[in-house]
Amino acid sequence: MIAVKEHAYAKINLYLDVLAKRDDGFHDIKTVMHTVSLSDEITVSVKPSARPRVTLEIIGNGKLPTDGRNLAVQAAELFLSTLLANSEVHIRLIKRIPVSAGLAGGSTDAAAVLRALNKAFGRPLTEKRLLALASELGSDVPYCLLGGTALCLGRGEIIERLPDKLHLYLVVAVADEHVSTPAAYAELDSIYSDFKSDRTDGAEECFNAVLASVESGILTEHKLFNIFENAIFKTCFGAESIKTKLFELGATHSLMSGSGPSIFGIFDNQKSAEAARDELIKSGIRAYYAETV
Ligand code: ATP
């Protein structure tokens, strides 16, 4: 039996805009993503078998499905069918990333399973083929496969690597609110219609500032931007109040990640970030200290 362990890192969006609704129902997005140290842990154990079989055990979350509805299982099944491999794969997932929070928890697990299985099988698939499998699994999975800092376009699968120079001290916090990603996009469709009309939200300036920060490794003072934020804050009052609290606690920047409702705050140093996390936890909010990785 071969066992391989992989970290599955969460992501945050330092910038997120939606450019168009496509005929296939997806949206074209423009986002700068960064992996953060908040992570799940995946261990795959592989042994020979008469036929392909995938099992999943989850530690730390009793609510997630352990069958074919779980992206980690889907990734393993896709990998085995691509290689026509008759193997039994057992996945042990330690779940720490908050679920349905805009942190790509499921996507990063799927990507980690692909990386781990490719190692366990002696690297039969090139990065290009792994990326193709990843994009079958979901829009964020190709980015999660590579990690680091990247500009992602299309539905997220067109990835341009950016320098990994930014080192950020973060607090990631989640209120007990639910956001459905399709509902979040539907809300944007109703606000922006075809996304073509003149925009007055300063998105382009924010994008240029984020790119300048990423290129130099020094975060500019300019605010960050996520097109989903105002739409989600209309119903997720907890998320908006976390953003306010993060600023009160000394964050220099704060933004919702993905389609929410998680909010991250950026602090000058580890000590002030950890102190802010402790304050949020004291007021009953799930909050985590993290750094960019
Ligand atoms: P994204 O930022 O990519 O939109 P998210 O962080 O908002 O993703 P996830 O945590 O990936 O959301 O969960 C979205 C849905 O995927 C949930 O309904 C969950 O049940 C399902 N799911 C399937 N597999 C997993 C997994 N391994 N971890 C978390 N969620 C999973």
Side-chain angles (χ1 to χ4, degrees), residues 28-106:
D28 278 325
I29 61 166
K30 177 177 171 184
T31 181
V32 176
M33 308 237 240
H34 212 306
T35 38
V36 297
S37 53
L38 176 61
S39 63
D40 295 340
E41 198 178 289
I42 293 271
T43 308
V44 297
S45 308
V46 183
K47 60 181 182 189
S49 167
R51 58 188 174 83
R53 183 160 182 256
V54 178
T55 53
L56 170 66
E57 160 196 15
I58 303 178
I59 293 134
N61 185 315
K63 290 188 187 154
L64 279 174
T66 54
D67 55 18
R69 286 169 296 167
N70 197 297
L71 270 175
V73 173
Q74 290 173 25
E77 287 174 346
L78 182 61
F79 185 91
L80 292 181
S81 66
T82 302
L83 288 190
L84 302 173
N86 280 333
S87 302
E88 184 173 329
V89 173
H90 179 68
I91 306 166
R92 187 170 185 269
L93 163 60
I94 303 179
K95 192 78 200 163
R96 301 191 196 98
I97 303 171
V99 175
S100 291
L103 299 166

